[in-house]
Amino acid sequence: MTTAMDPVLVARWQFASTTVYHFLFVPLTIGTAFLVAGFQTAWYRTGKEQYYRATKFWGRLFLINFALGLVTGLVQEFQFGMNWSEYSRFVGDIFGSPLAIEALLAFFLESTFLGLWIFGWERLPRGVHLACIWIAAFGTMASAYFILAANSFMQHPVGYVYNELKGRVELTDFWAVITQRTTVITFLHVLTACFLCAGAALVGISCYHLRKKQEPAVFRPSLLVGLWALLIAGVGVALTGDQQGKVMFEQQPMKMASAEALWDTQGPAPFSLFAIGDVEKGRNSVEIQIPRLLSFLAHGNFHDPVPGINQTNAAEQAEFGPGDYRPWIPMAYWSFRWMIGFGMFSVLVAVVGLWFTRRGRTPSGRWGAWFWRFGLWTLVFPVIGSAWGWIFTETGRQPWIVYGLMRTRDGVSTSVPAGRVLTSLILFAALYAVLAVVEVGLCVKYVRAGAHDVVPAAAPAGSDGDDDQPLAFAY
């Protein structure tokens, strides 16, 4: 009971649960924004009704996820002040800059132009209306960039000086913060994962309708777009993930050693496919490995040594003082594998799907039936993989909240008792449960409804609008 009421533990549970919940919507929203813009561009260029209906259908789901992502994202900002005031005081001079730009510039872009897009159907000239969704899409991308820049400072602090008098870090080079390698490669990895999630959504929902032979004019192009998005984004995720891994081997060797359950430094180092370890004894009791592969992933060759957990822990003890600098090894090891497994399985579905649908074919027979099932299940796999990716990124950094500068236990608010944090955790859990019911209910409703009720306006909109037209958002 004493452990359960530890204020650090309760605050960590609250931030972890609300952040993971929020991140279920973020990658889907960013990726879907660009795919909706693509469908609208196809409609603008060709005038084909099927692209108009696809734009409207996927646009509804995009807006539902955007709204839920917006609501749940606001909570993150409040938590820095509520439960992590010591952390906010320590890094506020640095952390506030990218977050301020995200709020003032990126969020302004996406919210303003998304509003114009929602209410501008048949009121704005088509070219201007199309530009609105593209600007909103790039706004969501810019928003993600500045948030990842702030997070990357926690992973690898740069562009700062430590003020001993004030006991905090202060910004000296903002350009270094937003352009460091950690920020750039993390952004590219997350961006490709966003398209992976959006592609899976298109594939899963299109499979649902095509399996029932509903509206093939809309959902077959959607399926093909989703399959290609899955395949291309999957390759992008793998390439950027490889580069991000190489950066982390340099900057956070403990995180990567934990992800591989590599207890002792080895050269050449093997890649672990499966392991059951003994954390207390610092070794694996069961393991299946691929020789030399970890050296290649870390250094680009098959012989250089990779630092192990025990040696890295000893090195950090020598640099930062006595203590245990290991994260929770089983969490780091398995979250890393679940991230890769869920993501790459969806890419396999994309390859199979493109084979089944080649040259205008439609999946049929026993194998076709299996494809429709796997295609539908793929809907959630990249989202789950992304969530595990963030769990790995954040838990693998422990015990640091800002790597090498501040431990997590030192960042919690000292004036907020654990009982109060636990109360807010319960309230957030209840609120988020209600939001989950609303989200799932709305998505199921609109997915089942399909796009049959959507028809383009009889005449192109090129004037200032028609007052007799109902609001486009009313559908």
Side-chain angles (χ1 to χ4, degrees):
M1 186 64 182
T2 302
T3 302
M5 293 302 290
D6 177 8
V8 178
L9 182 64
V10 181
R12 288 182 66 183
W13 266 107
Q14 183 180 104
F15 196 86
S17 58
T18 55
T19 300
V20 169
Y21 188 90
H22 171 62
F23 201 70
L24 295 177
F25 305 105
V26 172
L28 193 58
T29 300
I30 295 174
T32 308
F34 282 93
L35 296 184
V36 169
F39 279 121
Q40 187 167 346
T41 302
W43 173 59
Y44 178 81
R45 296 293 300 273
T46 67
K48 292 183 178 179
E49 182 180 325
Q50 65 199 67
Y51 295 128
Y52 176 88
R53 295 169 65 195
T55 304
K56 285 278 192 173
F57 176 79
W58 297 111
R60 291 169 176 171
L61 300 180
F62 160 65
L63 292 176
I64 293 170
N65 280 284
F66 180 86
L68 267 292
L70 176 64
V71 171
T72 55
L74 292 175
V75 176
Q76 313 304 311
E77 308 275 350
F78 289 122
Q79 285 196 66
F80 291 131
M82 287 190 302
N83 299 337
W84 301 96
S85 59
E86 290 301 314
Y87 161 80
S88 298
R89 186 192 63 78
F90 184 73
V91 298
D93 187 64
I94 298 172
F95 208 70
S97 299
L99 288 187
I101 294 177
E102 188 271 337
L104 294 175
L105 178 61
F107 184 69
F108 170 79
L109 275 180
E110 60 181 313
S111 57
T112 301
F113 284 92
L114 189 58
L116 290 172
W117 183 74
I118 292 171
F119 297 105
W121 284 98
E122 286 89 44
R123 285 177 168 76
L124 292 173
R126 288 186 179 183
V128 174
H129 188 251
L130 175 62
C132 289
I133 186 63
W134 277 109
I135 295 173
F138 279 104
T140 63
M141 188 174 69
S143 178
Y145 188 89
F146 287 110
I147 289 182
L148 291 173
N151 181 269
S152 294
F153 181 84
M154 298 165 67
Q155 310 289 338
H156 184 243
V158 295
Y160 73 95
V161 63
Y162 179 68
N163 187 325
E164 293 187 8
L165 186 63
K166 296 180 180 178
R168 67 173 193 172
V169 291
E170 295 178 348
L171 184 65
T172 59
D173 190 345
F174 179 69
W175 184 249
V177 173
I178 64 171
T179 60
Q180 66 157 317
R181 283 195 304 160
T182 314
T183 300
V184 174
I185 194 60
T186 301
F187 169 71
L188 293 175
H189 188 55
V190 170
L191 184 63
T192 49
C194 292
F195 283 101
L196 197 70
C197 294
L202 263 65
V203 169
I205 295 171
S206 297
C207 284
Y208 170 80
H209 283 286
L210 292 174
R211 185 184 180 187
K212 297 185 174 182
K213 305 185 187 307
Q214 296 172 344
E215 303 176 87
V218 174
F219 290 107
R220 181 174 173 81
S222 297
L223 174 65
L224 294 177
V225 169
L227 290 171
W228 279 110
L230 267 183
L231 182 62
I232 296 171
V235 174
V237 165
L239 293 176
T240 56
D242 174 67
Q243 292 303 310
Q244 188 181 23
K246 286 180 168 58
V247 171
M248 283 195 290
F249 272 113
E250 295 177 20
Q251 299 174 352
Q252 298 182 40
M254 177 62 83
K255 178 188 287 186
M256 297 310 296
S258 302
E260 290 300 319
L262 184 71
W263 292 98
D264 295 307
T265 300
Q266 295 187 49
F271 179 84
S272 175
L273 288 177
F274 176 83
I276 298 177
D278 188 327
V279 176
E280 295 302 322
K281 295 181 179 177
R283 62 179 176 82
N284 295 328
S285 52
V286 177
E287 55 188 357
I288 302 174
Q289 301 173 328
I290 300 177
R292 297 177 179 268
L293 182 56
L294 187 59
S295 288
F296 179 78
L297 295 176
H299 304 295
N301 61 63
F302 291 99
H303 51 76
D304 280 1
V306 177
I309 296 170
N310 295 327
Q311 287 73 27
T312 305
N313 195 40
E316 295 205 7
Q317 287 172 339
E319 182 177 1
F320 302 114
D324 186 355
Y325 295 90
R326 300 175 302 175
W328 185 19
I329 307 296
M331 175 63 78
Y333 182 84
W334 288 109
S335 60
F336 187 65
R337 273 144 193 79
W338 288 331
M339 171 189 69
I340 297 174
F342 279 107
M344 290 301 104
F345 180 80
S346 58
V347 178
L348 177 62
V349 172
V351 173
V352 175
L354 288 171
W355 172 260
F356 274 130
T357 56
R358 69 190 187 284
R359 299 176 182 174
R361 290 179 172 86
T362 299
S364 59
R366 185 178 62 175
W367 293 112
W370 276 108
F371 170 73
W372 296 129
R373 294 191 185 96
F374 276 112
L376 181 57
W377 296 341
T378 302
L379 172 67
V380 296
F381 283 178
V383 176
I384 296 174
S386 295
W388 280 115
W390 268 111
I391 291 172
F392 166 68
T393 299
E394 299 305 296
T395 60
R397 189 181 64 241
Q398 301 303 317
W400 301 105
I401 192 170
V402 181
Y403 192 77
L405 294 178
M406 185 181 212
R407 300 185 196 192
T408 301
R409 70 188 183 204
D410 299 323
V412 73
S413 299
T414 56
S415 59
V416 181
R420 195 173 298 172
V421 181
L422 181 62
T423 302
S424 59
L425 170 59
I426 295 172
L427 291 175
F428 280 135
L431 173 63
Y432 280 16
V434 172
L435 291 177
V437 172
V438 173
E439 157 81 5
V440 173
L442 286 173
C443 287
V444 169
K445 174 185 176 182
Y446 284 113
V447 166
R448 286 180 173 173
H452 67 276
D453 60 330
V454 178
V455 291
S463 63
D464 293 333
D466 183 350
D467 293 338
D468 294 330
Q469 289 285 336
L471 289 177
F473 190 53
Y475 291 104

